[in-house]
Structure formats: structure tokens, C-alpha cells
Amino acid sequence: MNLEQMKQKYLQYVFLTLRKGSYEFYNVHLKYLIKYFNENQIFDSDEINSLVISDFVFYERCKKNTNSTINKRILALKNMFKYNNILNNDIISISKFREEKNTFLALTNSEVERLINYLNLNVLKEQNKLLIYLLIDTGARISEILNIKISNINYSNNTIYLDVTKTHNCRCVPFTQATKILLKKYIEENNLTKTDKLFNLTISAVESLFRRIKDRLKLNKFHPHMLRHTLATKLHKNGVSIMIVQKIMGHKNISTTERYIHFDLDDVLHAYHSVM
């Protein structure tokens, strides 16, 4: 079967049945794979064998791509073949390559302070300011924040019920009193009802917002997930149990939460000298 046809057929299925993020994942990786195969004069499913796969892995390694990236691309290839009911034992037998367990980036204390000062200048739209405050407070994923409904907000205990999550497990996340004031003002001024979503923003609009702030504050990196990592680190550094941090983050495995925790040299030295 033609690889391009397989890709289009599978992406149509993903688009109709899975989340937008899943579609973007498969679209990016399958487009990359098909381009690689076509450039190497491979156009049909029965032309892909163990030698072709080995050449592809060698090519990826030469490009300095990580095992994590290679695994994602091979997973996309496997699922495309599976959906199209094409049995290819050479693809099925590919073992997952061992991945490095990297920690995630978080903002430093000084960077957080600069960000808060910038937010308090009131140069951003209220919607954008509230969005960032919620990311700072809750540690929620951006997709979870963009799916908040007004009815999910509980002012009596300052929590938000997240019913659209990556893990499909609902959870409550807290927010601060300062964010509560912003929330109430924003909802009132925009005449939002309980059935409305809190935000009417796309992922691309959020990415554009973060790029502008990154340039304005001269940050090396700045994206929504960094605020998630930053909260996890802050909570744990201030004595919050890692199991509570796991609950707030919505991680299935505590090992994932551990990768979110960042300690700099000052933290290490302080901990060491406090007992020595």
C-alpha cells in the first residue's frame, strides 16, 4: 500500500477520534517519516524491512536526534501500519530504545519575580494576565486550563475542578486569593455564565503570547509547561510532600513528579549543612 495513502487514512482516523494534541503528534512524525522514505525511493509499505529501519535509525543518530524522538517516530509508524491492517514483522519487532530521564526546565526565583512584576504592569490583556496567573498557581497543563468552564470554579475553597485532563483522571487544583480577585473581575466584565468556557484562546495564540513575553523579559526559554515545573519545584522546596505535588500535577507515576523537581547548588548546600 502506498505510504502517503496510509498516512492520510490514519491521520483522518486520528483527527476524528483522538485529541488535537494526538493529531498534531502523528501529523508531525508521519510527515517526517514519509518524507525520509520518499527521499530514499521508498514509496510502498512492502518496501519497508529491517534494513530500511536500521538505515533510518542510523540516519537519526547522525542527526543527533535522541532515543526519545526516534521512539516517537517508530511508534507513529507502528500505529499507522496497525490501523491499515498491514502486518510487518520487521516493524513490530522493533524494541523501544532506552531513553534518558531528563529533568524539565523551570524558572529561577529571579525569573519568576521578573515575570510577576511584568504582569503587574498591566500591559497585557486581562485574559492573558489571568491565564498566566492560573498557570503559575495551579501547575495545570495549558490544555487543561483552556478547557476550564465557569462551573468548574469553586470560590468557597479557591479550587478549580479539571474535568478535561491528559490522563483522563479528573482532579482539583488550588489557586491563590490574588488570582481569585482577577477571576471574579474577568468573569463579571465579560458577562460569562456557568456554561461558558473561561477562555476563548487557541494553543497558537498562547504560544504567541509566551514568545512575546520571552522576548520582552529576555528569557532564554519560556513556555507554559515551565510554569508547571516551577510550581512543582516551589512546592517541594517548601516542604510539601512529593505525593501531594503528584496529586496537584495529576501525574500517574511519582517518578514523573520527581523529574519535575529542581534543586540548585544553594539548595543542596543548605540541606547538607543543616544536618552536618
Side-chain angles (χ1 to χ4, degrees):
M1 186 174 180
N2 180 270
L3 291 173
E4 181 63 31
Q5 291 176 346
M6 290 173 65
K7 183 191 80 171
Q8 295 299 336
K9 188 176 176 182
Y10 181 59
L11 287 179
Q12 184 179 30
Y13 159 76
V14 173
F15 181 79
L16 293 173
T17 60
L18 302 181
R19 294 179 183 273
K20 182 179 179 181
S22 297
Y23 175 80
E24 291 173 350
F25 170 89
Y26 285 110
N27 184 39
V28 167
H29 290 300
L30 289 176
K31 183 177 180 180
Y32 180 94
L33 282 161
I34 303 301
K35 182 175 183 290
Y36 167 83
F37 290 136
N38 289 172
E39 287 176 349
N40 287 274
Q41 303 303 306
I42 298 169
F43 302 97
D44 202 82
S45 58
D46 61 12
E47 296 176 289
I48 297 181
N49 53 38
S50 58
L51 180 59
V52 169
I53 297 299
S54 295
D55 286 344
F56 171 70
V57 172
F58 179 74
Y59 168 80
E60 291 290 277
R61 295 261 167 78
C62 288
K63 289 191 68 177
K64 308 296 184 185
N65 286 328
T66 64
N67 282 351
S68 175
T69 298
I70 297 171
N71 285 335
K72 288 173 182 175
R73 288 173 178 159
I74 291 176
L75 173 65
L77 185 67
K78 284 184 176 182
N79 286 346
M80 181 181 76
F81 269 71
K82 182 178 179 181
Y83 177 77
N84 284 278
N85 294 315
I86 297 176
L87 180 63
N88 185 313
N89 289 324
D90 288 332
I91 293 177
I92 293 173
S93 63
I94 303 170
S95 299
K96 189 174 181 180
F97 297 106
R98 184 174 180 179
E99 299 179 8
E100 293 275 336
K101 287 193 174 182
N102 297 321
T103 56
F104 302 103
L105 291 174
L107 295 179
T108 64
N109 290 337
S110 63
E111 288 172 336
V112 172
E113 186 177 349
R114 285 162 57 198
L115 175 60
I116 296 297
N117 289 339
Y118 178 69
L119 294 176
N120 290 337
L121 291 175
N122 294 317
V123 295
L124 294 178
K125 292 180 181 178
E126 287 298 312
Q127 178 177 237
N128 294 339
K129 182 178 178 180
L130 175 61
L131 173 79
I132 295 174
Y133 264 107
L134 281 172
L135 287 166
I136 291 171
D137 280 6
T138 66
R141 303 172 180 91
I142 187 60
S143 59
E144 295 168 344
I145 293 289
L146 295 183
N147 278 289
I148 293 172
K149 295 183 288 291
I150 305 303
S151 57
N152 296 139
I153 302 169
N154 186 340
Y155 292 122
S156 64
N157 62 2
N158 285 12
T159 61
I160 297 173
Y161 181 68
L162 300 178
D163 55 1
V164 179
T165 68
K166 179 182 177 181
T167 60
H168 306 293
N169 293 324
C170 302
R171 71 183 190 279
C172 281
V173 290
F175 56 86
T176 62
Q177 191 65 23
T179 298
K180 178 178 182 177
I181 295 170
L182 287 176
L183 266 171
K184 285 191 168 185
K185 180 183 177 184
Y186 172 77
I187 291 170
E188 182 180 344
E189 289 181 349
N190 288 275
N191 298 313
L192 299 178
T193 67
K194 285 189 174 294
T195 57
D196 290 327
K197 277 191 174 181
L198 182 60
F199 296 111
N200 182 24
L201 286 168
T202 63
I203 292 291
S204 59
V206 174
E207 290 173 344
S208 176
L209 167 65
F210 273 71
R211 281 195 298 270
R212 294 197 304 272
I213 295 175
K214 171 182 169 291
D215 293 341
R216 179 69 178 82
L217 299 182
K218 294 181 171 55
L219 300 171
N220 290 327
K221 289 190 177 182
F222 185 55
H223 53 77
H225 228 62
M226 288 181 73
L227 298 178
R228 181 168 163 80
H229 311 156
T230 303
L231 177 67
T233 300
K234 180 179 180 179
L235 291 173
H236 195 58
K237 280 184 177 181
N238 285 276
V240 177
S241 162
I242 195 168
M243 289 180 287
I244 298 297
V245 178
Q246 178 190 11
K247 187 78 172 175
I248 294 172
M249 295 293 107
H251 292 145
K252 285 185 176 180
N253 300 311
I254 204 161
S255 59
T256 305
T257 310
E258 290 171 343
R259 294 168 63 195
Y260 273 63
I261 307 303
H262 298 256
F263 294 105
D264 54 31
L265 181 58
D266 287 342
D267 298 316
V268 174
L269 293 177
H270 176 75
Y272 176 83
H273 290 299
S274 66
V275 295
M276 294 298 289

